[in-house]
Amino acid sequence: MGGENVPALRDVATAADAAGVRCFFTEFGYHALADSTGCGLLCSFGGVEPTLARRWFSASTPERSALEPAFRAIHAAAKSALAGAAYMDGAYDKLYVKRHFPAFPLDLLPPYRGATEAQFARFRADCDAALARVPAQPVSAS
């Protein structure tokens, strides 16, 4: 489940827990609620750099806080690359995959619109700049 409405996400996690179900939230919801709800991580744009996504999942709250600016910049890179029109989730997902597999197509079946190569180039440049700012060492919990 995505979004950043923490009270709503917490309500969903609480209801799911009462029903014996574990909730999975995308990066920012996971960051806000992992310690208090035991939710899982539903990797979205974190797949841009799998080792970083694994680090996010395993990190303490202070380390996730240190990594958050880079994650926000990656998220902003995708939103910025596809700004100006409505795109379905798959258009964003294809940006993330193409970063690792350059031959991966950006096209979507009609009536949906995928990103252009120029939009992908912008995403890749902004994403690479964000990844260059990732703290190299884990932040201690002290």
Side-chain angles (χ1 to χ4, degrees), residues 104-118:
F104 194 79
L106 294 168
D107 299 331
L108 293 169
L109 293 174
Y112 303 105
R113 171 184 28 210
T116 65
E117 289 294 332

Side-chain angles (χ1 to χ4, degrees), residues 14 22 37 41 51 82 87 91 98 105 140-142:
T14 301
R22 184 174 197 179
T37 69
L41 173 62
T51 57
L82 298 183
Y87 290 90
K98 188 171 177 68
S140 69
S142 57

Side-chain angles (χ1 to χ4, degrees), residues 5 13 16 31 38-39 41 54 59 63 76 99 114 121 127:
N5 182 337
H31 175 46
C39 64
L41 173 62
R54 177 69 178 148
E63 184 178 2
R99 186 170 177 280
C127 186

Side-chain angles (χ1 to χ4, degrees), residues 21 34 43 51 55 70 81 90-91 101 103 111-112 115 118-119 124 131 138:
V21 177
C43 191
T51 57
R55 185 173 164 193
F101 302 99
Y112 303 105
Q119 288 170 310
R124 183 180 53 221
L131 290 168

Side-chain angles (χ1 to χ4, degrees), residues 51-65:
T51 57
L52 184 59
R54 177 69 178 148
R55 185 173 164 193
W56 181 261
F57 174 74
S58 302
S60 64
T61 300
E63 184 178 2
R64 281 195 312 272
S65 294

Side-chain angles (χ1 to χ4, degrees), residues 22-23 25 30 54 59 64 79-80 92 99 113 125-126:
R22 184 174 197 179
C23 268
F25 297 122
Y30 177 80
R54 177 69 178 148
R64 281 195 312 272
K79 293 292 188 181
S80 177
Y92 294 93
R99 186 170 177 280
R113 171 184 28 210
D126 291 349

